[in-house]
Amino acid sequence: MRRLVSELYVRDNCHPFKATVLVWIQLPMWIFVSVALRNFSTGATHSEGFSVQEQLATGGVLWFPDLTALDSTWILPVSIGVINLLIVEIFALQKVGMSRFQTYITYFVRALSVLMIPIAATVPSSIVLYWLCSSLMGLSQNLLLRSPRFRQLCRIPLTKSDSDTPYKDLFAAFYAKFISRK
């Protein structure tokens, strides 16, 4: 059995460790950048000339002109929660017949997404903006990698579960799960 599994790993180029490489790189990087932005926003770093904190204090846009202050409107924190929940639901909608463990993990990540809203409301806007951009990129990549044209352009092989109309299927599953519930 081990030999067959090893042959499948080689044949399909899908060793389980490859799925975790992103976590081993992305999660520490996300933490380090968040801590660095916190240090910049609170003035914990020192530099000559204009400090980074002064630049962040005047470098905001729209409703958050001061990136060192909290977002008093809660627009950024709520946006993070909504986008993270959307990412979780996209993954949950594509899974049919999830195991009990997968269901628990899905509920845990949903709870974590909601918990991020009050956490994001207590940190400087520079960190929240970084988290929002990170989540938006994750959502964009998730949606882009569903596109058959993009997958063909990048020579990503099709699988049996791939659809010719992934966005219509996703919308139909979303509509069936959340809107047309009777």
Side-chain angles (χ1 to χ4, degrees):
M1 185 62 143
R2 286 183 185 157
R3 184 180 53 79
L4 289 173
V5 170
S6 295
E7 288 174 5
L8 285 174
Y9 290 160
V10 171
R11 186 190 78 190
D12 294 337
N13 195 18
C14 66
H15 195 278
F17 184 73
K18 285 185 177 183
T20 66
V21 169
L22 185 63
V23 174
W24 293 112
I25 295 170
Q26 186 174 5
L27 188 61
M29 186 63 93
W30 186 83
I31 291 169
F32 290 145
V33 170
S34 296
V35 170
L37 283 171
R38 184 204 60 199
N39 291 342
F40 288 146
S41 297
T42 60
T45 59
H46 301 288
S47 62
E48 295 181 18
F50 283 114
S51 72
V52 176
Q53 183 185 19
E54 291 171 358
Q55 293 176 27
L56 286 173
T58 59
V61 294
L62 302 174
W63 66 91
F64 51 98
D66 182 357
L67 290 172
T68 62
L70 307 179
D71 182 8
S72 60
T73 63
W74 283 54
I75 293 172
L76 292 175
V78 170
S79 298
I80 287 174
V82 168
I83 289 173
N84 286 338
L85 277 174
L86 190 58
I87 293 169
V88 172
E89 292 308 319
I90 287 173
F91 277 110
L93 289 173
Q94 77 183 21
K95 298 287 185 187
V96 178
M98 290 194 300
S99 70
R100 181 175 285 183
F101 179 73
Q102 288 173 323
T103 303
Y104 288 147
I105 293 295
T106 302
Y107 282 127
F108 174 75
V109 176
R110 284 177 181 146
L112 193 62
S113 297
V114 172
L115 183 64
M116 281 299 290
I117 295 172
I119 292 171
T122 62
V123 298
S125 294
S126 60
I127 299 171
V128 183
L129 185 61
Y130 166 65
W131 290 350
L132 180 64
C133 291
S134 177
S135 294
L136 280 171
M137 285 304 299
L139 178 63
S140 302
Q141 289 172 351
N142 189 338
L143 293 174
L144 185 64
L145 287 172
R146 291 178 181 276
S147 168
R149 287 185 184 160
F150 182 78
R151 291 175 66 97
Q152 184 180 18
L153 179 69
C154 294
R155 297 184 182 174
I156 300 171
L158 295 175
T159 63
K160 294 176 185 175
S161 63
D162 286 340
S163 169
D164 292 335
T165 57
Y167 304 117
K168 287 181 184 178
D169 297 343
L170 189 61
F171 181 75
F174 185 83
Y175 184 82
K177 183 173 181 178
F178 296 109
I179 298 174
S180 71
R181 295 172 69 172
K182 291 182 182 179

